[in-house]
Amino acid sequence: MRKIIVVVFPLILLTPWFVSAQQTVMDSLRHVIKTTNSELDRTHATVLLAQELIPEQMDSARILLERSSSLAQSRRPLLRADYYNVWGLYYWFKGYRQLSIDWFRKTLALRDDPEILFLQAAAANNIGCHHAQMGNPDSARYYYLMSLDIDKQRGNDRGIAKNYYDLSRLHNNMDQYELAYRYVNQAIAIQHQGDNQSALNASYNLKANILSAMGSDDQAIALYEKLLEEALEHGDHHHAIILYNNLTAIYSTQENGSHKVEEYFGLGLELARSNSRDDLTATLFTNKGQSLLTVGEPQSAIDYFQEALEMIKEEGHTHLEMGIAYRLGKAYRAIGDHNNARESQRRSLEIAIHRQSLDHQSKALLEIAALDSLSGDFQGFARNYIAGIALRDSLWSQENRSRLAELQIIHETEQKKRQIEELLLRKKAHNLHFILLTGGSALVLLLLMLFLMNMKKRQKLIRQELQIQQMHQQKIECELEANRRELTGKVLSLAKSEQLISRLKKELRGILDHRDGGDHQHDLRAALRMLKAKDSGLNLWKEFESRFDELNEGFITNLTDKYPNLSTTEIRLCALLRLQLSTKEIAELLQRSTRTIEHTRNSIRKKMDLQPSDNLVKHLIRL
């Protein structure tokens, strides 16, 4: 892995969240301070105005903050969070990192309140930026992830993208390129859906830097060229100069890249000078010198390196000076000027020690050891070589530890991702189970309701049918009762007629037997013959049998067909028994003794060949 980009996109995203210098916002806040009747609203507006004055008017901002100290005791978390965060912003730009962190932590310590989540996310991100700049990557990562979680909870895409970008820069600086590449891609995916083009450009620029550091020069170049085209199209000269620098830096280490360096160097230099950017102009000269050094023209390279140093001499760009001095020392050694080479490498080493850059310390020491060897100072060679190798080994060890840490983070991230996916699957399964259970319950309830409705309807139909049957049964019973009364009345009339006729016959015979023959004797005999001749008893019984057959579905006809040996008296008794008259009732109707009726019943049973257990009446009803 290697880092060859001399200049990267400025850390425009590695800055506080609260910088906003819009004049309209400031005018609105001043208007609120002058016109509102609420002391609390005036104080809050004063804090927000102090925020707008940072960093251009730091003294005025401090005066306003001191006037607003009452907000520290406010019961509203929002007012306290704004107050704490603006103090954190103030100390950020004053250069007091720990004080700035302490104020931002006050915001994080406030109780959970949806109203201040965006301020807590900003505070966590700013603390992460502090730790990143202070060289505390673990702490920086902790606060970036805290801010990321809050922004995800809020659904704040811009905040999520910024945290991904900051995490990518952090891991890129730690040589953990795979993590850096993942995070920057996540930032880009979100920024494509927003309207912050400058943030998107910064993320693409960082992605290209990471690709170059991973050795994917072709991909990095393609991305730089695309970004350059867009920057020129939108008139973003500052970004275009940086991209020209990055392109010249890549091609400067390639033996066949000199023509590309010449092209981008010329274009970038024109823009840099027209925009008075000496630092970027110096970087272009450095990359041009490196290209000449690569193709074996160290003397020409020295001219460009010296001009680059002259441009940044008064600006304090020690990082650039360290890199240029190292390259200048290599160029002097290439032309045999060992004294100037040693002086340049010692300056590079001095800056590297001050900046605690082990990589540059190792490189400078090894170059000095090489110069010692060429000058015959073998003790110096051994001393500087051993020190340089020790630092290089330390760097390799550090890179290995960094790689192991990266692998551990990737593993933990993947594990967490799997856990989240498992939780989501469980949640989906739970939701599906709930939906199925709810749907099943609803279906069961619906089916139960339909079943109950159907049962209720069926019960209603059954009740109606039962009522109809009851009415029909009542009708039949009424008809049967009417028939029974009718037939019983006929039997009674027949019995009385037979009794009357029998008595009349008896009396007439008595008269005839005990009186002498007179004029009436002849008439009485004639009347007796008439009663005898016109004895309607038989006819009445025939009429009864006919009517009985009509009302009882041909009972007597069926009875005589089945039992032809039954006598007339037995047939008549069978008819009366079918009417379900008791023996006593029949005896009274026919003016017979119950014993006679019983005797006749027994005779009927014998002729019908019934068993003792058989019921005569039921048998007659079934005929």
Side-chain angles (χ1 to χ4, degrees):
M1 301 291 182
R2 57 193 171 88
K3 290 187 177 181
I4 61 172
I5 307 303
V6 176
V7 173
V8 296
F9 199 83
L11 309 185
I12 59 170
L13 293 185
L14 195 61
T15 55
W17 276 54
F18 309 104
V19 178
S20 173
Q22 296 182 9
Q23 189 61 41
T24 55
V25 175
M26 297 173 66
D27 291 341
S28 298
L29 291 171
R30 290 191 179 99
H31 178 73
V32 171
I33 294 170
K34 290 179 180 179
T35 60
T36 185
N37 294 324
S38 170
E39 179 65 25
L40 190 62
D41 289 343
R42 279 200 302 273
T43 307
H44 190 206
T46 301
V47 168
L48 297 179
L49 181 59
Q51 175 181 313
E52 298 301 322
L53 294 176
I54 299 171
E56 286 80 8
Q57 303 179 45
M58 297 293 284
D59 292 340
S60 299
R62 184 179 182 92
I63 292 171
L64 294 177
L65 284 170
E66 289 173 345
R67 289 179 183 174
S68 308
S69 59
S70 60
L71 290 183
Q73 283 73 44
S74 174
R75 293 183 177 181
R76 287 189 60 188
L78 175 64
L79 304 186
R80 293 170 67 185
D82 269 332
Y83 178 72
Y84 295 152
N85 276 357
V86 178
W87 268 116
L89 176 66
Y90 172 83
Y91 283 116
W92 179 306
F93 282 98
K94 291 294 285 185
Y96 300 118
R97 293 193 183 280
Q98 192 55 53
L99 279 174
S100 178
I101 289 173
D102 291 342
W103 280 102
F104 287 133
R105 280 178 177 165
K106 289 178 182 289
T107 300
L108 295 181
L110 294 173
R111 70 175 187 273
D112 292 339
D113 188 326
E115 192 178 30
I116 65 170
L117 282 177
F118 75 102
L119 293 173
Q120 289 179 321
N125 181 272
N126 288 335
I127 294 174
C129 290
H130 274 309
H131 282 295
Q133 293 174 352
M134 292 164 64
N136 302 323
D138 292 338
S139 296
R141 176 178 170 81
Y142 172 80
Y143 284 102
Y144 285 150
L145 291 176
M146 179 190 296
S147 178
L148 180 62
D149 287 341
I150 296 173
D151 280 321
K152 283 183 176 180
Q153 182 181 346
R154 294 174 55 223
N156 177 26
D157 286 345
R158 179 166 291 192
I160 294 170
K162 183 183 187 304
N163 282 300
Y164 280 140
Y165 175 87
D166 291 337
L167 283 164
S168 179
R169 291 201 77 258
L170 177 69
H171 288 289
N172 183 47
N173 292 335
M174 296 168 64
D175 299 334
Q176 295 175 343
Y177 303 117
E178 290 184 28
L179 276 173
Y181 192 74
R182 289 187 185 192
Y183 282 127
V184 77
N185 279 333
Q186 288 175 302
I188 289 171
I190 296 172
Q191 289 165 343
H192 266 299
Q193 301 172 9
D195 56 358
N196 193 342
Q197 187 61 40
S198 62
L200 181 60
N201 290 339
S203 294
Y204 270 121
N205 197 78
L206 176 58
K207 180 176 180 178
N209 292 343
I210 296 168
L211 287 169
S212 178
M214 295 171 71
S216 301
D217 286 349
D218 291 342
Q219 294 184 51
I221 289 170
L223 190 50
Y224 282 138
E225 290 177 341
K226 179 182 178 183
L227 291 171
L228 177 60
E229 182 182 350
E230 292 177 355
L232 293 173
E233 183 180 346
H234 293 91
D236 189 353
H237 292 167
H238 175 71
H239 191 196
I241 298 168
I242 293 169
L243 291 166
Y244 280 131
N245 259 302
N246 290 342
L247 285 164
T248 57
I250 290 181
Y251 284 116
S252 69
T253 60
Q254 299 177 1
E255 292 185 358
N256 59 349
S258 57
H259 66 289
K260 281 291 186 180
V261 171
E262 191 67 30
E263 175 188 352
Y264 290 128
F265 172 76
L267 294 170
L269 185 61
E270 181 181 353
L271 277 181
R273 284 177 170 172
S274 64
N275 286 271
S276 301
R277 292 301 304 269
D278 289 343
D279 55 337
L280 297 178
T281 303
T283 306
L284 283 166
F285 272 87
T286 303
N287 291 333
K288 173 65 174 177
Q290 177 61 51
S291 175
L292 292 168
L293 189 59
T294 300
V295 296
E297 299 180 23
Q299 186 60 61
S300 299
I302 290 172
D303 295 336
Y304 282 99
F305 290 145
Q306 287 178 335
E307 191 166 352
L309 283 174
E310 190 66 27
M311 290 178 187
I312 62 171
K313 184 184 297 182
E314 297 178 0
E315 300 297 328
H317 294 291
T318 56
H319 176 68
L320 288 177
E321 184 182 356
M322 178 178 66
I324 296 170
Y326 172 74
R327 289 170 173 79
L328 183 59
K330 291 186 70 173
Y332 277 126
R333 182 165 70 87
I335 64 172
D337 188 348
H338 297 167
N339 290 330
N340 281 326
R342 185 181 299 276
E343 183 181 347
S344 295
Q345 293 300 348
R346 288 194 180 282
R347 177 56 182 162
S348 177
L349 177 62
E350 179 185 348
I351 299 172
I353 292 172
H354 176 72
R355 293 182 59 86
Q356 298 181 354
S357 173
L358 299 182
D359 183 34
H360 273 84
Q361 289 181 50
S362 174
K363 290 177 179 178
L365 284 169
L366 291 175
E367 278 295 316
I368 293 172
L371 292 170
D372 290 336
S373 176
L374 292 173
S375 64
D377 183 3
F378 296 109
Q379 288 184 349
F381 165 76
R383 183 177 62 255
N384 291 316
Y385 181 79
I386 291 171
I389 291 297
L391 285 173
R392 189 175 66 181
D393 290 343
S394 176
L395 283 171
W396 285 346
S397 177
Q398 182 178 347
E399 287 179 1
N400 288 332
R401 288 196 300 272
S402 178
R403 179 56 180 162
L404 289 173
E406 180 182 30
L407 292 174
Q408 178 65 24
I409 292 170
I410 292 173
H411 172 71
E412 291 175 355
T413 303
E414 294 294 336
Q415 191 175 31
K416 186 176 180 181
K417 183 179 179 181
R418 285 194 298 270
Q419 290 174 350
I420 292 172
E421 289 175 351
E422 288 177 4
L423 288 174
L424 289 174
L425 287 174
R426 289 180 185 175
K427 185 177 180 181
K428 288 181 180 179
H430 176 75
N431 291 341
L432 181 60
H433 178 72
F434 177 76
I435 292 171
L436 291 175
L437 182 61
T438 305
S441 300
L443 182 60
V444 170
L445 287 174
L446 179 62
L447 292 175
L448 182 60
M449 289 176 63
L450 291 174
F451 176 75
L452 291 175
M453 290 173 63
N454 185 53
M455 287 294 295
K456 188 175 181 180
K457 185 176 181 181
R458 289 185 61 185
Q459 288 177 352
K460 184 178 180 180
L461 291 173
I462 290 171
R463 285 196 299 271
Q464 291 176 349
E465 186 177 351
L466 183 61
Q467 289 177 354
I468 293 172
Q469 289 178 354
Q470 288 176 345
M471 292 174 63
H472 183 66
Q473 183 66 26
Q474 289 176 356
K475 181 180 178 182
I476 292 175
E477 289 178 355
C478 289
E479 290 178 353
L480 288 174
E481 184 61 27
N483 294 340
R484 181 180 177 185
R485 286 196 298 270
E486 179 186 351
L487 293 174
T488 303
K490 286 185 177 292
V491 170
L492 182 61
S493 298
L494 284 171
K496 288 182 177 180
S497 296
E498 285 185 337
Q499 185 179 2
L500 179 60
I501 291 170
S502 178
R503 187 188 300 171
L504 184 57
K505 285 181 178 180
K506 184 176 180 181
E507 289 181 358
L508 287 174
R509 284 193 184 94
I511 292 171
L512 291 174
D513 291 340
H514 295 88
R515 292 191 179 183
D516 56 353
D519 295 332
H520 298 288
Q521 188 175 9
H522 180 269
D523 293 333
L524 287 171
R525 291 186 182 276
L528 184 60
R529 284 195 300 271
M530 186 178 296
L531 286 172
K532 187 175 182 180
K534 296 184 177 181
D535 189 351
S536 60
L538 183 58
N539 293 329
L540 287 173
W541 275 110
K542 288 182 179 180
E543 182 182 344
F544 169 78
E545 290 174 358
S546 175
R547 181 60 174 164
F548 194 93
D549 261 357
E550 181 182 339
L551 296 176
N552 289 275
E553 300 178 354
F555 169 76
I556 293 177
T557 301
N558 293 335
L559 182 66
T560 54
D561 289 343
K562 192 168 184 180
Y563 303 106
N565 58 342
L566 291 176
S567 65
T568 302
T569 301
E570 289 170 344
I571 291 171
R572 293 173 183 172
L573 180 59
C574 287
L576 296 176
L577 289 172
R578 182 177 171 84
L579 292 176
Q580 299 185 40
L581 297 175
S582 64
T583 301
K584 184 178 179 181
E585 289 175 331
I586 294 172
E588 290 176 354
L589 281 173
L590 298 178
Q591 295 296 312
R592 300 285 191 275
S593 66
T594 56
R595 188 173 180 180
T596 301
I597 299 301
E598 288 291 345
H599 178 74
T600 307
R601 288 181 62 144
N602 291 332
S603 176
I604 293 171
R605 291 177 65 87
K606 289 180 180 179
K607 291 182 179 181
M608 291 184 175
D609 197 20
L610 297 177
Q611 300 297 320
S613 58
D614 295 332
N615 187 288
L616 177 60
V617 176
K618 290 182 179 180
H619 179 71
L620 293 172
I621 291 173
R622 287 195 294 267
L623 287 176

